Amino acid sequence: MIRSYVAVGDSFTEGVGDDRPGGTVRGWADFVAIGLQAASADSVGYANLAIRGRKLGPIIDEQLEPALALGADLLTFNGGGNDIMRPRVKIDWVVERTMDLVDRTLATETRPVILAGANPSLQLPLGRVIRGRGDALADAVADALGGTGVLFVDNWHDEQLEAARYWSADKLHLNALGHARVAANVLEALEIPVPHEWGVDEVADAAEGERRTFTYYRTYVLPWIGRRLTGRSSGDGRVAKRPTLQPVS
């Protein structure tokens, strides 16, 4: 029985793209927490330490110890997505750091679950490069986890998630429908029922995303390039949205 859950990661885990009133975001980890609570007769605590824009190193260095200190039953981790978007990345290093997180978590009473992020390459400029790196990373992590008993939820190779209807306007982050599907993938891996009201299998009428236009590049791509050139991050100055275990409502 899972009575407490903590999530660590970047914008994918924070929930960027699943925007809520007041400027907050929800996301797949929140959906997972709701699913855990729906399956439990006891109150479930949930914390989310993820911060958008974080590369793998800072995720592990800044979030792992505070997450483990919470003593939760379950920890989900996704990282490396921002690393493979950079001009240079060493896949072996990403896998090595991921396995370090796994080993440190297995040394506690907290159960780790590792996720691959969804694949946005069909929507993005230079998508072929991103796909190649993402394929290599997901496959390498799956191989490294083999025999450990640690669950690996491979959203990267979920071909349905590549469809435009699952992505937000920036084409880099999932929308609410996409986040709900990722949560369903996680709950199914944990053998926990998926709440039907999410509608993750009822997508026939969902609108397709907009095509790449000048407005798209001006609104999303150019600011992203500007942050890269100046060493800034979309997560600068941000703190975790849910830093302590709180009851799921």
Side-chain angles (χ1 to χ4, degrees):
M1 182 66 68
I2 299 172
R3 293 187 174 87
S4 51
Y5 162 47
V6 57
V8 298
D10 54 26
S11 58
F12 175 64
T13 301
E14 184 185 347
V16 174
D18 184 6
D19 301 322
R20 310 301 296 164
T24 61
V25 294
R26 183 175 49 190
W28 66 264
D30 293 45
F31 279 128
V32 167
I34 292 169
L36 293 174
Q37 181 60 79
S40 175
D42 300 317
S43 177
V44 173
Y46 164 53
N48 190 321
L49 278 59
I51 297 178
R52 65 192 68 181
R54 290 296 192 265
K55 295 171 69 176
L56 179 65
I59 292 173
I60 296 175
D61 295 341
E62 299 170 7
Q63 298 177 26
L64 180 58
E65 285 304 321
L68 294 178
L70 296 175
D73 296 327
L74 178 71
L75 177 145
T76 59
F77 164 78
N78 167 264
N82 286 310
D83 296 77
I84 67 173
M85 298 287 288
R86 297 308 194 268
R88 295 181 180 84
V89 60
K90 294 182 178 179
I91 299 298
D92 290 346
W93 177 84
V94 175
V95 177
E96 180 181 339
R97 294 268 6 224
T98 298
M99 294 308 297
D100 174 57
L101 175 142
V102 169
D103 291 341
R104 289 164 63 182
T105 305
L106 288 174
T108 71
E109 297 299 317
T110 299
R111 176 188 182 185
V113 172
I114 310 302
L115 281 76
N119 182 356
S121 63
L122 287 180
Q123 323 297 329
L124 295 178
L126 299 176
R128 184 178 299 178
V129 174
I130 301 303
R131 177 180 290 273
R133 291 177 173 183
D135 286 347
L137 178 57
D139 292 344
V141 171
D143 288 344
L145 290 172
T148 65
V150 174
L151 280 180
F152 178 55
V153 183
D154 189 359
N155 300 290
W156 186 266
H157 288 113
D158 181 347
E159 294 183 356
Q160 186 169 334
L161 267 177
E162 296 184 32
R165 61 179 173 267
Y166 288 105
W167 295 87
S168 66
D170 69 6
K171 305 185 188 302
L172 182 61
H173 298 98
L174 296 169
N175 59 21
L177 188 66
H179 279 284
R181 181 168 178 85
V182 169
N185 290 343
V186 174
L187 290 175
E188 288 172 356
L190 291 168
E191 299 182 346
I192 292 173
V194 177
H196 294 295
E197 60 268 24
W198 290 357
V200 293
D201 295 322
E202 300 170 5
V203 296
D205 295 328
E208 294 289 336
E210 296 181 359
R211 297 181 182 274
R212 294 199 297 264
T213 62
F214 174 75
T215 300
Y216 164 74
Y217 282 91
R218 181 181 62 190
T219 304
Y220 300 109
V221 178
L222 293 180
W224 184 88
I225 293 173
R227 290 195 297 271
R228 300 290 80 74
L229 293 175
T230 57
R232 293 177 292 119
S233 166
S234 58
D236 288 347
R238 288 186 173 272
V239 297
K241 69 177 186 180
R242 197 178 177 101
T244 59
L245 292 171
Q246 302 172 39
V248 178
S249 59

